[in-house]
Amino acid sequence: MSWKSKLTPYILLIPTFIIIIIFIYWPAAYSFKLSFYQESFFGNRSIFVGLDNFTDLFTDPEYYSVILTSFIYSFSSVFLTILIAFLISQLLVQNIPGTRLFRLFIFAPYAISPAIAGTLWSFLLTPTVGYLNYIFLELFGIDTDWLTTTPYAFIAVMLATIWKMLPFDLIFYIAGLQSIPDSLLESSMIDGANLWQRMWKIKFPLLSPITFYLFIMNFTTTMFASFGIIDIMTKGGPLGTTTTMIYKLYLDAFAFQNNGSAAAQSIVMFAIMGVITFIYFHNVEKSVHYQ
Amino acid sequence: MASSISKRKKTNLILSEITLIIISLIIMAPVLLALSMSFMKPTEVYTFPPKLFPSSFHWQNYVEALQLVNLGRMLLNSAIVAFFITFGKLVTGTLAGYAFANFQFKGKNISFMILFITLFLPAETVMILPLFLIMKQFGWINTYYALIIPFTASATNAFLMRQHFLTIPKELSDAAKIDGATSMQYFWRILLPLSKSMLGGAALINFVYAWNLYLWPLIATMDDKMKTVQIGVKMLIDAEASNNWGTIMAGTMIALIPTLIIFFAIQNLFVKSLVSSGLKG
């Protein structure tokens, strides 16, 4: 293709656009359509019901508790992960012997899938066999079936989530810390700032764009992608205390075959995504140039 | 004064060293303990207090895990799926990235936006139901097509490659033009060879992502022969219930070791591309 051909860039974009239109935009539009329909009693045809699916959803107190669970789970996991990652990252940028090896080990959960993370933590917490269960029993006298009792199931799911998400945040904080000029930290040391002050008054504010990025990414991960952890560890139980929005969507769509409600739920999740997108754009526009 | 500062520095370093050793151990503990248990005999699994190391290497767990749910076939499926998703993403991503980085064209901004929005429409989760219904219409349920094709393009890859191509001096493409190379010759012979490390990093991130997919393969496959190892592990848990954690952990090891090995082998490349994909948009 010659450089002057006006067609070249379009041809280059065709493969990507075919895929995203068929497998992202079409399903998104289809979700919209489905959310206005309900299956008939015998499941043989769809009936247009307008906004019924949405009103059903929002008059159901159970759905509110699912939303609440999702948000509590997401915010607390994200908050803890970011905090822990920020603290550990301080250690990983010092030139300590073996740093490369430490990073290798600490980053490892990044490569492990949510489902496997869920399996590993189920095993650690399982009664009679689990090591962590044993430690909790010996140290704190907690003898419980972690995955089937409240509030332990919720804590168990959070532990796995934080463990899985931590490396991602660490990688970004380390990159960020390394980009802070040494001169800045040295001059603050001369001014008498101690370790703790340097960390929170200088480094943390300087890294706030990264914290913001991580918050958005982690929030999406916990809202949407931790399905594997929950499905393996608790299946949404006990008594729905670990049923997040995505898990309920899955149950309604594939266990109860309630397509209309599931579609309406995905629209609600789109809306949440839309808000996140807006917040992200609104803040990032100023600092990052895409074009 | 100077010596007390250096002394304090030294204590700090030792403290940091110890803290890091503990943190590394805690973070690796789930994997290490699972590895250890995967070699224990069923009788050892239930000793109290739990044993840290197996008394001998009981390979039987691995054999059982492979037989119980056809994990071998599932490994093959995972490899096929992850390979083709990675390959597809690299092809579509480099082409799109090239278009955005090196060409001016009508509709550039709008097509960029269309692509950008997809970052916030996670196909694997929110769109799971309509995607399933569409795949059913296509007759693709229970086939590799369903497991692979929807995931062969993504905005992340296109943006990553675009950012990378933008860092390559314009003089190179000017020189190629003067020498009479076509735009695709420049792409193949100059741009791609210069992007080897970026392509390698992107390939790894995509491979791990694809290997670790869970929700979609869970839904899109009914036949055990088409399932991936991630689903295999779930089936193993269901089949064994809480009977033999040794076997379950053996299955878990089988599912996680490929990505872990890749990650350990080329961690630097991995981290570099991840950061550049995240921080530069």
Side-chain angles (χ1 to χ4, degrees), chain A residues 1-3 8-10 12-13 15-17 19-20 22-28 30-31 34 88 91-92 94 96-97 100 102-113 115-116 119-124 126 128-129 131 134 137 163 166 168 171-172 175 210 213 224 227-228 231-232 235 246 249-250 253-254 259 262-263 266 269-270 273 277 280-281 288 290-291, chain B residues 13 16-17 20-21 23-24 27-28 30-31 33-34 37 40 45-46 48-51 92 95-96 98-100 103 105-106 109 111-112 114-118 120-121 125-127 129-135 137-138 149-150 152-153 162 177 181-184 186 212 214-215 218-219 230 233-234 237 245 249 252 255-256 259 263-264 267-268 270-271 274-275 278 281:
Chain A
M1 276 178 267
S2 94
W3 290 88
T8 312
Y10 300 108
L12 293 170
L13 287 176
T16 297
F17 275 80
I19 301 287
I20 67 166
I22 299 179
F23 298 108
I24 297 181
Y25 279 97
W26 183 17
Y30 198 5
S31 258
L34 282 172
I88 298 180
L91 295 171
L92 285 169
Q94 293 174 298
I96 298 174
R100 280 173 59 97
F102 291 134
R103 285 191 194 178
L104 194 64
F105 292 141
I106 296 175
F107 290 170
Y110 177 80
I112 294 169
S113 79
I116 296 294
T119 314
L120 291 173
W121 284 86
S122 302
F123 149 66
L124 289 175
T126 196
T128 69
V129 178
Y131 295 89
Y134 172 74
L137 177 65
W163 180 79
L166 190 65
F168 183 83
I171 288 168
F172 282 92
I210 294 182
Y213 170 80
F224 303 99
F227 175 86
D231 190 41
I232 298 262
K235 296 195 191 306
I246 187 68
L249 194 161
Y250 161 79
F254 297 99
N259 287 0
S266 45
M269 292 188 82
F270 282 149
M273 264 333 259
T277 315
Y280 184 72
F281 253 136
V288 182
Y290 288 100
Q291 288 292 309
Chain B
L13 270 184
S16 305
E17 183 91 45
L20 278 176
I21 292 175
I23 293 169
S24 314
I27 291 191
M28 283 303 283
V31 179
L33 292 170
M37 178 143 302
M40 287 187 191
V45 167
Y46 286 98
F48 192 88
K51 288 175 71 170
T92 58
L95 293 177
Y98 182 44
F100 284 124
F103 293 87
F105 55 95
K106 237 186 188 166
N109 285 333
S111 51
F112 198 81
I114 292 172
L115 199 57
F116 191 87
I117 289 168
T118 63
F120 298 92
L121 298 173
T125 49
V126 184
M127 240 93 79
L129 172 65
L131 196 60
F132 177 78
L133 297 174
I134 289 170
M135 291 289 146
Q137 284 174 25
F138 284 12
I149 294 174
T152 49
R162 166 185 175 268
K177 275 182 211 173
T182 67
S183 55
M184 286 325 277
Y186 168 72
N212 289 346
Y214 178 74
L215 179 51
L218 181 69
I219 289 160
Q230 306 294 330
V233 171
K234 180 196 167 77
I237 298 175
W245 280 93
M249 287 303 119
T252 308
L256 76 79
T259 49
F263 185 78
F264 278 168
Q267 188 224 158
N268 282 340
F270 220 129
V271 168
L274 189 68
V275 170

Side-chain angles (χ1 to χ4, degrees), chain B residues 121-185:
Chain B
L121 298 173
E124 210 240 336
T125 49
V126 184
M127 240 93 79
I128 204 79
L129 172 65
L131 196 60
F132 177 78
L133 297 174
I134 289 170
M135 291 289 146
K136 233 164 114 179
Q137 284 174 25
F138 284 12
W140 281 8
I141 296 299
N142 255 329
T143 66
Y144 287 122
Y145 300 129
L147 293 174
I148 294 167
I149 294 174
F151 303 98
T152 49
S154 80
T156 328
N157 278 262
F159 296 160
L160 177 66
M161 291 325 293
R162 166 185 175 268
Q163 294 298 347
H164 174 70
F165 292 152
L166 285 175
T167 64
I168 291 170
K170 236 186 143 14
E171 286 76 22
L172 274 175
S173 62
D174 291 340
K177 275 182 211 173
I178 292 166
D179 287 348
T182 67
S183 55
M184 286 325 277
Q185 279 168 338

Side-chain angles (χ1 to χ4, degrees), chain B:
Chain B
M1 178 75 180
S3 76
S4 84
I5 286 180
S6 76
K7 210 174 166 187
R8 228 178 66 195
K9 237 180 164 174
K10 220 172 175 179
T11 6
N12 272 343
L13 270 184
I14 294 172
L15 273 177
S16 305
E17 183 91 45
I18 295 170
T19 320
L20 278 176
I21 292 175
I22 296 172
I23 293 169
S24 314
L25 276 177
I26 293 175
I27 291 191
M28 283 303 283
V31 179
L32 297 175
L33 292 170
L35 182 67
S36 176
M37 178 143 302
S38 72
F39 288 112
M40 287 187 191
K41 293 195 184 81
T43 47
E44 277 179 288
V45 167
Y46 286 98
T47 45
F48 192 88
K51 288 175 71 170
L52 280 183
F53 301 102
S55 58
S56 64
F57 284 110
H58 183 65
W59 288 100
Q60 195 57 33
N61 288 333
Y62 283 84
V63 178
E64 251 173 54
L66 284 166
Q67 286 169 347
L68 206 60
V69 293
N70 202 358
L71 223 48
R73 170 67 194 246
M74 292 174 188
L75 264 176
L76 180 70
N77 290 341
S78 285
I80 291 172
V81 168
F83 174 82
F84 282 105
I85 289 180
T86 306
F87 182 75
K89 273 195 170 166
L90 288 186
V91 172
T92 58
T94 44
L95 293 177
Y98 182 44
F100 284 124
N102 293 53
F103 293 87
Q104 290 304 325
F105 55 95
K106 237 186 188 166
K108 188 171 172 176
N109 285 333
I110 189 101
S111 51
F112 198 81
M113 274 308 293
I114 292 172
L115 199 57
F116 191 87
I117 289 168
T118 63
L119 281 178
F120 298 92
L121 298 173
E124 210 240 336
T125 49
V126 184
M127 240 93 79
I128 204 79
L129 172 65
L131 196 60
F132 177 78
L133 297 174
I134 289 170
M135 291 289 146
K136 233 164 114 179
Q137 284 174 25
F138 284 12
W140 281 8
I141 296 299
N142 255 329
T143 66
Y144 287 122
Y145 300 129
L147 293 174
I148 294 167
I149 294 174
F151 303 98
T152 49
S154 80
T156 328
N157 278 262
F159 296 160
L160 177 66
M161 291 325 293
R162 166 185 175 268
Q163 294 298 347
H164 174 70
F165 292 152
L166 285 175
T167 64
I168 291 170
K170 236 186 143 14
E171 286 76 22
L172 274 175
S173 62
D174 291 340
K177 275 182 211 173
I178 292 166
D179 287 348
T182 67
S183 55
M184 286 325 277
Q185 279 168 338
Y186 168 72
F187 176 74
W188 265 113
R189 299 214 183 130
I190 297 167
L191 210 52
L192 285 189
L194 281 174
S195 314
K196 268 184 199 153
S197 78
M198 192 46 83
L199 286 169
L204 289 171
I205 293 176
N206 290 324
F207 188 87
V208 169
Y209 163 84
W211 183 275
N212 289 346
L213 282 174
Y214 178 74
L215 179 51
W216 179 246
L218 181 69
I219 289 160
T221 57
M222 276 116 202
D223 188 349
D224 286 359
K225 278 201 177 120
M226 291 309 299
K227 291 189 195 299
T228 60
V229 274
Q230 306 294 330
I231 316 302
V233 171
K234 180 196 167 77
M235 292 168 64
L236 208 54
I237 298 175
D238 292 342
E240 282 287 349
S242 54
N243 292 326
N244 191 357
W245 280 93
T247 308
I248 298 173
M249 287 303 119
T252 308
M253 285 298 134
I254 293 172
L256 76 79
I257 273 172
T259 49
L260 215 53
I261 287 178
I262 293 177
F263 185 78
F264 278 168
I266 346 187
Q267 188 224 158
N268 282 340
L269 202 56
F270 220 129
V271 168
K272 217 179 88 191
S273 342
L274 189 68
V275 170
S276 55
S277 68
L279 289 186
K280 291 182 197 156

Side-chain angles (χ1 to χ4, degrees), chain A residues 122-172:
Chain A
S122 302
F123 149 66
L124 289 175
L125 289 164
T126 196
T128 69
V129 178
Y131 295 89
L132 201 55
N133 185 67
Y134 172 74
I135 292 172
F136 277 111
L137 177 65
E138 290 294 304
L139 289 184
F140 309 110
I142 300 176
D143 185 14
T144 179
D145 192 340
W146 280 82
L147 303 178
T148 56
T149 41
T150 24
Y152 299 104
F154 191 80
I155 298 169
V157 168
M158 260 177 59
L159 273 176
T161 308
I162 293 169
W163 180 79
K164 167 80 192 98
M165 209 153 58
L166 190 65
F168 183 83
D169 294 17
L170 269 171
I171 288 168
F172 282 92

Side-chain angles (χ1 to χ4, degrees), chain A residues 247-260:
Chain A
Y247 203 75
K248 181 173 161 59
L249 194 161
Y250 161 79
L251 287 180
D252 282 332
F254 297 99
F256 307 127
Q257 313 273 329
N258 191 347
N259 287 0

